[in-house]
Amino acid sequence: NLMYMWGGQPDGSTYLNDIWSYDYNAGPGGTWLVKLGANPPFGRYGHTLFPTTQELFVFGGVDPAGPATFTAVPLLLQS
């Protein structure tokens, strides 16, 4: 039972590209862990993240070059 979070823009100018997982089964309050994938894309915000069995895909959003509306980028997970 994991939830994943990737990217974002916390201050209006920084584009994040780190991956975090939240394990609901890790005891009271759960546990957040950073997951480093190989060659992550540029950070972005306003995107959608969806999982498959082996990877996560980032679709759309805005990256430093502007809107990335029609791109889907795989994020490989490191266990």
Side-chain angles (χ1 to χ4, degrees):
N1 291 329
L2 295 175
M3 175 180 70
Y4 291 99
M5 292 181 65
W6 179 83
Q9 190 179 42
D11 59 9
S13 62
T14 303
Y15 294 84
L16 302 177
N17 69 344
D18 49 348
I19 303 169
W20 289 82
S21 69
Y22 182 78
D23 185 350
Y24 290 96
N25 296 328
T31 300
W32 284 100
L33 296 172
V34 67
K35 301 282 200 174
L36 302 175
N39 302 315
F42 288 116
R44 58 175 84 170
Y45 69 92
H47 56 278
T48 300
L49 183 70
F50 59 96
T52 66
T53 307
Q54 297 294 320
E55 56 196 358
L56 300 170
F57 282 89
V58 175
F59 182 78
V62 177
D63 65 21
T69 310
F70 299 108
T71 60
V73 179
L75 299 172
L76 302 177
L77 297 176
Q78 173 183 323
S79 10

